[in-house]
Every structure is written in C-alpha cells, then in structure tokens.
Amino acid sequence: MKEKVLKVLESIRPGLQADGGDVEFVKIDEDNVVYIRLVGACGGCPMSQITLKQGIERIMKMQIPEIKAVEAI
C-alpha cells in the first residue's frame, strides 16, 4: 500500500512544486489513513487545507479506493 501512495504523491508533486511547495509522505496507519507533511510554500499557505482535501485526498482516493483519508501533520 505504501508504494501505491508514494506513486500517487509523485504524480501530484509537480503541481505543488510549480507553486513553490511540496509534499512529504509521513506514514499510513492500520485504518488506511495517509499522513503527509506539506512543505515549502504549501506549508504556510492559507489554502493548504483546500489543497489537501480537494486536491491530494480526492486524487488519492480516486486512485487507491482503500484510502479512508489524507491528513496533514
């Protein structure tokens, strides 16, 4: 499962990097909740929760239906 998550994050990463940000994988728990860290411009951006939920989480769940949620730490 971790490999699938990393592959999806790699596909998302160029869009975040274009805006000066990035995403780091932290862990996936036993309930299939993915924990990430938004860094760079994304880390302090007021729109980061929208990026997280409507962007990263939406794409992650579409490509890996077993994922229950994506949370930033």
Side-chain angles (χ1 to χ4, degrees), residues 10-50:
E10 283 302 315
S11 73
I12 295 168
R13 182 167 276 122
L16 297 172
Q17 290 174 337
D19 289 331
D22 207 344
V23 61
E24 296 175 351
F25 173 79
V26 177
K27 68 178 182 174
I28 183 168
D29 70 14
E30 63 278 353
D31 296 321
N32 287 335
V33 176
V34 175
Y35 294 88
I36 61 166
R37 182 174 297 114
L38 294 169
V39 296
C42 293
C45 176
M47 301 298 284
S48 64
Q49 281 302 310
I50 293 171

Side-chain angles (χ1 to χ4, degrees), residues 8-9 12 16 22-23 34 36 38 42 48 50-62 70:
V8 173
L9 290 177
I12 295 168
L16 297 172
D22 207 344
V23 61
V34 175
I36 61 166
L38 294 169
C42 293
S48 64
I50 293 171
T51 298
L52 175 67
K53 293 296 178 181
Q54 294 180 8
I56 298 170
E57 183 178 78
R58 182 181 57 82
I59 294 167
M60 187 77 63
K61 287 174 150 184
M62 282 177 22
V70 178

